Amino acid sequence: MNTVGAALLSDVQKEVLDEVLVGVPYNSASQFHEYFGTKAAPPRFGLSCAWQSFTAGRMVMERSGIPADYLIDGRHVAAVYRKRDGLVILDPYLLHGEPLRLDRGAAVDGVVRTTVDAYPYRVKKDGTPAPSRVRATWDLGDDSIRLDYLRFSPRRGHNTASRSFLLRPESRIDTVPPAADFVRRLLVHPEQHSVSIRVLHPVTRHMAELILPLAGRPSGVAEDSGLMLTKDNQGAVAQYGDARFQRDLEVVADAVSASQDDVVAFLLEAAAIHRAAAPAGLDLAPYSLEDE
């Protein structure tokens, strides 16, 4: 790739990442509708983490002609771009505000590291900004990439590890999207203990999340909005009926250009689909009600 081409690709990657962050929210319910339900979810409602990366890769390909490698760790996928002197990673689920760029020449003892700010941008008690962070570590020895998401915890007063993924070169996905049977198995994995929509509002850039826990729901109850929770940009949890719940729900609905009733119904239907599809005796962890 010549210098002009590299510069153009860099611009496209940055542009696409930002568009996906605000325009394709993380929605763990969407693929239940698509793979177990009757139709795909409306695009504005968002997609699961892997499909966010697939979407980013497709958009970059359409605008630049450059394909991504998709590397998987468990149920998580990132889009990786290899070049002669390094790597670029797009992983919208981790909410990093800039593409993760790892330059081979910056290696120290065979390891390249970079850290960038990520959403949500929270506020400390003294009013100062507290962005989240994504740290990428590329081991040149085995070509593995570790991604760590460090979200600021207002309760603890510092950033804490929230997610961590290890991407290995042999874990590349060759078929995008993967086969339907493979996807269905992952959707009913015990790690899937809730369905949720997490948005980054396109105007305020504040995060809000609507969550329906799947564990401990009484047998036969498929549509109970009273079990829903929300989280605001500071990670504070609100339960159904609380004024803060209504405020957060309004943010989510506005971000996806849908009515509040439609957003709620979307999660309720996904929970019912999960109940019907999950194997008997599936043990799910309870969802934490603790503020971040």
Short mmCIF file of all heavy atoms in Angstrom, two decimals, residues 122 154 209 211 229-239 244 247-248 289-292:
data_model
loop_
_atom_site.label_atom_id
_atom_site.label_comp_id
_atom_site.label_asym_id
_atom_site.label_seq_id
_atom_site.Cartn_x
_atom_site.Cartn_y
_atom_site.Cartn_z
N ARG A 122 -16.86 9.44 31.91
CA ARG A 122 -17.56 9.70 33.16
C ARG A 122 -16.94 10.89 33.88
O ARG A 122 -16.00 11.52 33.40
CB ARG A 122 -17.56 8.43 34.03
CG ARG A 122 -18.47 7.37 33.42
CD ARG A 122 -18.47 6.06 34.16
NE ARG A 122 -19.55 5.20 33.66
CZ ARG A 122 -19.66 3.91 33.89
NH1 ARG A 122 -18.74 3.29 34.62
NH2 ARG A 122 -20.66 3.23 33.40
N PRO A 154 -17.13 5.14 39.20
CA PRO A 154 -17.33 6.23 40.15
C PRO A 154 -17.34 5.75 41.60
O PRO A 154 -16.87 6.46 42.50
CB PRO A 154 -18.70 6.80 39.75
CG PRO A 154 -18.84 6.44 38.30
CD PRO A 154 -18.20 5.10 38.18
N GLU A 209 -28.19 2.37 28.95
CA GLU A 209 -28.43 0.96 28.66
C GLU A 209 -29.75 0.51 29.28
O GLU A 209 -30.05 0.85 30.43
CB GLU A 209 -27.28 0.12 29.21
CG GLU A 209 -27.29 -1.33 28.78
CD GLU A 209 -26.00 -2.05 29.11
OE1 GLU A 209 -25.15 -1.46 29.80
OE2 GLU A 209 -25.85 -3.21 28.68
N ILE A 211 -31.73 -2.99 30.19
CA ILE A 211 -31.32 -4.38 30.44
C ILE A 211 -32.49 -5.19 30.97
O ILE A 211 -33.25 -4.73 31.84
CB ILE A 211 -30.19 -4.40 31.50
CG1 ILE A 211 -29.02 -3.50 31.07
CG2 ILE A 211 -29.72 -5.83 31.77
CD1 ILE A 211 -28.29 -2.87 32.22
N LEU A 229 -34.02 -3.13 34.02
CA LEU A 229 -33.11 -2.20 34.68
C LEU A 229 -32.57 -1.23 33.64
O LEU A 229 -32.61 -1.50 32.44
CB LEU A 229 -31.93 -2.94 35.30
CG LEU A 229 -32.18 -4.17 36.15
CD1 LEU A 229 -30.86 -4.89 36.39
CD2 LEU A 229 -32.83 -3.77 37.46
N THR A 230 -32.04 -0.12 34.12
CA THR A 230 -31.27 0.76 33.24
C THR A 230 -29.95 1.11 33.91
O THR A 230 -29.80 0.98 35.13
CB THR A 230 -32.00 2.07 32.91
OG1 THR A 230 -32.27 2.78 34.12
CG2 THR A 230 -33.28 1.81 32.13
N LYS A 231 -29.00 1.56 33.09
CA LYS A 231 -27.76 2.17 33.58
C LYS A 231 -27.58 3.49 32.84
O LYS A 231 -27.83 3.58 31.63
CB LYS A 231 -26.55 1.27 33.32
CG LYS A 231 -26.42 0.11 34.27
CD LYS A 231 -25.09 -0.61 34.05
CE LYS A 231 -24.90 -1.77 35.01
NZ LYS A 231 -23.59 -2.43 34.80
N ASP A 232 -27.11 4.50 33.57
CA ASP A 232 -26.84 5.78 32.95
C ASP A 232 -25.35 5.91 32.62
O ASP A 232 -24.58 4.95 32.77
CB ASP A 232 -27.34 6.94 33.82
CG ASP A 232 -26.59 7.07 35.15
OD1 ASP A 232 -25.54 6.40 35.33
OD2 ASP A 232 -27.06 7.85 36.00
N ASN A 233 -24.94 7.09 32.18
CA ASN A 233 -23.57 7.29 31.75
C ASN A 233 -22.56 7.08 32.88
O ASN A 233 -21.40 6.74 32.64
CB ASN A 233 -23.40 8.69 31.16
CG ASN A 233 -22.11 8.84 30.38
OD1 ASN A 233 -21.94 8.24 29.32
ND2 ASN A 233 -21.19 9.65 30.89
N GLN A 234 -22.99 7.27 34.12
CA GLN A 234 -22.13 7.07 35.28
C GLN A 234 -22.15 5.62 35.77
O GLN A 234 -21.48 5.29 36.76
CB GLN A 234 -22.53 8.00 36.42
CG GLN A 234 -22.15 9.46 36.20
CD GLN A 234 -20.67 9.71 36.27
OE1 GLN A 234 -19.98 9.76 35.25
NE2 GLN A 234 -20.14 9.88 37.48
N GLY A 235 -22.94 4.76 35.13
CA GLY A 235 -23.03 3.38 35.55
C GLY A 235 -23.97 3.14 36.71
O GLY A 235 -23.91 2.09 37.35
N ALA A 236 -24.84 4.12 37.01
CA ALA A 236 -25.80 3.98 38.10
C ALA A 236 -27.00 3.16 37.63
O ALA A 236 -27.56 3.42 36.57
CB ALA A 236 -26.25 5.34 38.59
N VAL A 237 -27.39 2.18 38.44
CA VAL A 237 -28.49 1.28 38.09
C VAL A 237 -29.81 1.86 38.59
O VAL A 237 -29.90 2.37 39.71
CB VAL A 237 -28.26 -0.11 38.72
CG1 VAL A 237 -29.46 -1.02 38.48
CG2 VAL A 237 -26.99 -0.74 38.16
N ALA A 238 -30.84 1.79 37.76
CA ALA A 238 -32.19 2.19 38.17
C ALA A 238 -33.14 1.05 37.81
O ALA A 238 -33.02 0.43 36.75
CB ALA A 238 -32.61 3.47 37.47
N GLN A 239 -34.09 0.79 38.68
CA GLN A 239 -35.05 -0.27 38.46
C GLN A 239 -36.36 0.30 37.92
O GLN A 239 -36.66 1.49 38.07
CB GLN A 239 -35.30 -1.05 39.75
CG GLN A 239 -34.03 -1.72 40.28
CD GLN A 239 -34.29 -2.67 41.41
OE1 GLN A 239 -35.21 -3.48 41.36
NE2 GLN A 239 -33.48 -2.60 42.46
N ARG A 244 -35.44 7.66 37.41
CA ARG A 244 -34.18 7.56 36.66
C ARG A 244 -34.29 6.51 35.56
O ARG A 244 -33.67 6.63 34.51
CB ARG A 244 -33.03 7.22 37.61
CG ARG A 244 -32.73 8.31 38.65
CD ARG A 244 -31.68 7.81 39.63
NE ARG A 244 -32.10 6.56 40.26
CZ ARG A 244 -31.27 5.63 40.72
NH1 ARG A 244 -29.96 5.78 40.60
NH2 ARG A 244 -31.74 4.53 41.28
N ARG A 247 -35.92 8.17 32.69
CA ARG A 247 -34.97 9.08 32.04
C ARG A 247 -34.01 8.31 31.14
O ARG A 247 -33.77 8.70 29.99
CB ARG A 247 -34.18 9.82 33.12
CG ARG A 247 -33.08 10.74 32.62
CD ARG A 247 -32.05 10.97 33.72
NE ARG A 247 -31.38 9.73 34.12
CZ ARG A 247 -30.66 9.59 35.22
NH1 ARG A 247 -30.54 10.60 36.07
NH2 ARG A 247 -30.07 8.43 35.50
N ASP A 248 -33.47 7.21 31.63
CA ASP A 248 -32.52 6.41 30.84
C ASP A 248 -33.20 5.76 29.64
O ASP A 248 -32.62 5.70 28.55
CB ASP A 248 -31.88 5.33 31.72
CG ASP A 248 -31.11 5.90 32.90
OD1 ASP A 248 -30.71 7.07 32.84
OD2 ASP A 248 -30.92 5.15 33.88
N LEU A 289 -26.99 -5.67 40.63
CA LEU A 289 -27.76 -4.44 40.81
C LEU A 289 -26.90 -3.33 41.41
O LEU A 289 -27.41 -2.26 41.77
CB LEU A 289 -28.96 -4.71 41.72
CG LEU A 289 -29.93 -5.77 41.24
CD1 LEU A 289 -31.09 -5.91 42.21
CD2 LEU A 289 -30.46 -5.45 39.85
N GLU A 290 -25.60 -3.56 41.50
CA GLU A 290 -24.70 -2.60 42.13
C GLU A 290 -24.27 -1.52 41.14
O GLU A 290 -23.95 -1.80 39.99
CB GLU A 290 -23.46 -3.36 42.63
CG GLU A 290 -22.54 -2.55 43.52
CD GLU A 290 -21.45 -3.42 44.12
OE1 GLU A 290 -20.80 -4.17 43.36
OE2 GLU A 290 -21.24 -3.34 45.33
N ASP A 291 -24.28 -0.28 41.58
CA ASP A 291 -23.79 0.81 40.74
C ASP A 291 -22.31 0.58 40.45
O ASP A 291 -21.56 0.08 41.27
CB ASP A 291 -23.94 2.15 41.47
CG ASP A 291 -25.39 2.58 41.64
OD1 ASP A 291 -26.26 1.99 40.97
OD2 ASP A 291 -25.64 3.50 42.44
N GLU A 292 -21.92 0.98 39.26
CA GLU A 292 -20.50 0.87 38.91
C GLU A 292 -19.68 1.91 39.66
O GLU A 292 -18.53 1.71 39.95
CB GLU A 292 -20.32 1.05 37.41
CG GLU A 292 -20.93 -0.09 36.59
CD GLU A 292 -20.69 0.08 35.11
OE1 GLU A 292 -19.71 0.73 34.71
OE2 GLU A 292 -21.50 -0.43 34.32
#
